[in-house]
Amino acid sequence: MKPRYVIIISLIIILSLVPHVRMAFSIGTGFGLPKIQETINQIQSRAINKKINDEDKRFLSRLYPTLSVGAFFTFILPESSRLTWHYLYGEGSKTSINEKLFIESSRVIKRMDKLKSADKKICTVDFTQESDEFDMGHIKPLDAHFALYFGTITLDRLNKDTIQWTFNMPWKFPTYESLYAKYGSYYREQPHLPNALSLLGLGKPLVLPNGLGGELELQGLAKSFDTVTVWEENHKC
C-alpha cells in the first residue's frame, strides 16, 4: 500500500474513533460543523431552562478544552488559549495577561488617552485615577477579541517621568440569568468563531454563546479568576 493511502486511512480512523480530534477537525475546517452547532443550540436552550443533563456536561467538557488547544495551535490566539485553559483547570488562581493585548485594542487606547489627559492637567506625584468599567476586547487584535472582557484601568503617577498602569479584569463568563438581567434577552454576547470554510465564504462560523461559558462554572466544570496586569511607562506630563 502506498504511503499516502496509509496516511489517509490513518486519518479516517483517528477522526472516527477519537471524539476530540473529530470535533477539532469540524471546528477548524467547518466540515460537519452544523451538527456541533445544533448540539450547542440545544444545550443553550436546556441551560436557559435549567435542564442541563450529564450528556450536555460531557459535550461541554470536550468542547472547551478542544477550543483551547485549537486556539493554541493557530498561533494567533495564544492568550485566549491559555486563559481558557486556566478557566477550565486553574482552580480560580489569579494571573496576568500579556500587555500587548491591551495596548493594541482601540477601546483600551481611548480609555488610556483619557486618563493621560487627566494626569496632564494635574501633573502631581501620587496622582491616581481609575476608568469606568468597560468591555476591553475588540475585533483587533483578534486575540484580544476573545481574551479580554469587562474591566477597569488605573493610572498612577509614580514620578515626573513615569506612570504605572494597572489593569483589573475578572475573567468571568456571564450566566444566562445575568445576560437577561442586563439585556432583557438570553441571546446576547454570542461570539462567532471562524473556520476554513467560513473564511472562504463557503460556510458559517461557529456561534458560541458566552452564556455557555458561564454555565460551565455553574456546573462545576470551570472556575472564574481575577487577572491583574501591571506595567510602567515613561511618560512626562
Side-chain angles (χ1 to χ4, degrees):
M1 185 177 293
K2 294 182 178 181
R4 66 173 178 271
Y5 294 133
V6 173
I7 295 173
I8 292 172
I9 292 173
S10 298
L11 287 174
I12 292 173
I13 293 173
I14 292 172
L15 288 172
S16 62
L17 296 180
V18 183
H20 285 80
V21 175
R22 186 166 63 249
M23 180 179 285
F25 176 81
S26 294
I27 292 173
T29 64
F31 291 103
L33 193 63
K35 184 176 181 181
I36 293 176
Q37 186 68 72
E38 182 181 1
T39 301
I40 288 173
N41 295 344
Q42 291 172 351
I43 294 176
Q44 174 173 243
S45 296
R46 286 192 287 272
I48 291 171
N49 292 292
K50 302 185 184 304
K51 293 183 178 179
I52 288 286
N53 56 47
D54 290 340
E55 186 176 348
D56 295 335
K57 294 180 185 179
R58 285 192 290 271
F59 178 86
L60 295 175
S61 294
R62 291 197 305 272
L63 176 63
Y64 281 86
T66 299
L67 290 171
S68 177
V69 174
F72 175 79
F73 282 109
T74 64
F75 301 107
I76 58 175
L77 300 173
E79 285 294 85
S80 299
S81 170
R82 182 181 66 84
L83 293 168
T84 300
W85 194 265
H86 195 71
Y87 182 56
L88 297 171
Y89 305 111
E91 299 181 349
S93 59
K94 185 168 67 176
T95 187
S96 61
I97 296 176
N98 190 323
E99 65 187 62
K100 289 184 178 180
L101 266 67
F102 297 108
I103 60 179
E104 293 179 7
S105 168
S106 61
R107 291 177 179 173
V108 171
I109 291 171
K110 288 180 180 179
R111 295 307 198 287
M112 292 175 75
D113 288 344
K114 186 176 181 180
L115 293 176
K116 282 182 176 180
S117 295
D119 169 63
K120 186 175 182 180
K121 291 178 181 178
I122 298 175
C123 192
T124 58
V125 176
D126 295 331
F127 169 82
T128 182
Q129 187 164 349
E130 184 179 62
S131 73
D132 59 320
E133 185 179 70
F134 68 101
D135 187 355
M136 296 184 174
H138 197 43
I139 296 173
K140 294 181 180 180
L142 187 61
D143 204 5
H145 179 61
F146 295 110
L148 303 185
Y149 295 108
F150 288 86
T152 61
I153 307 171
T154 301
L155 180 152
D156 292 296
R157 168 62 62 180
L158 301 182
N159 54 55
K160 63 184 181 68
D161 298 319
T162 310
I163 59 176
Q164 177 178 279
W165 295 108
T166 302
F167 284 69
N168 286 280
M169 194 198 77
W171 220 77
K172 182 177 179 63
F173 283 94
T175 63
Y176 284 107
E177 286 187 355
S178 68
L179 287 171
Y180 190 84
K182 184 175 183 179
Y183 302 108
S185 170
Y186 296 111
Y187 305 100
R188 298 291 296 272
E189 297 190 21
Q190 304 206 26
H192 289 55
L193 307 183
N195 54 70
L197 289 181
S198 70
L199 292 174
L200 293 172
L202 301 175
K204 296 181 179 180
L206 179 70
V207 180
L208 185 64
N210 278 346
L212 275 188
E215 191 65 29
L216 280 177
E217 186 166 21
L218 291 178
Q219 298 298 328
L221 301 174
K223 192 170 181 58
S224 57
F225 55 93
D226 290 329
T227 73
V228 179
T229 306
V230 180
W231 75 87
E232 295 180 4
E233 177 183 344
N234 293 327
H235 182 71
K236 295 183 180 181
C237 58

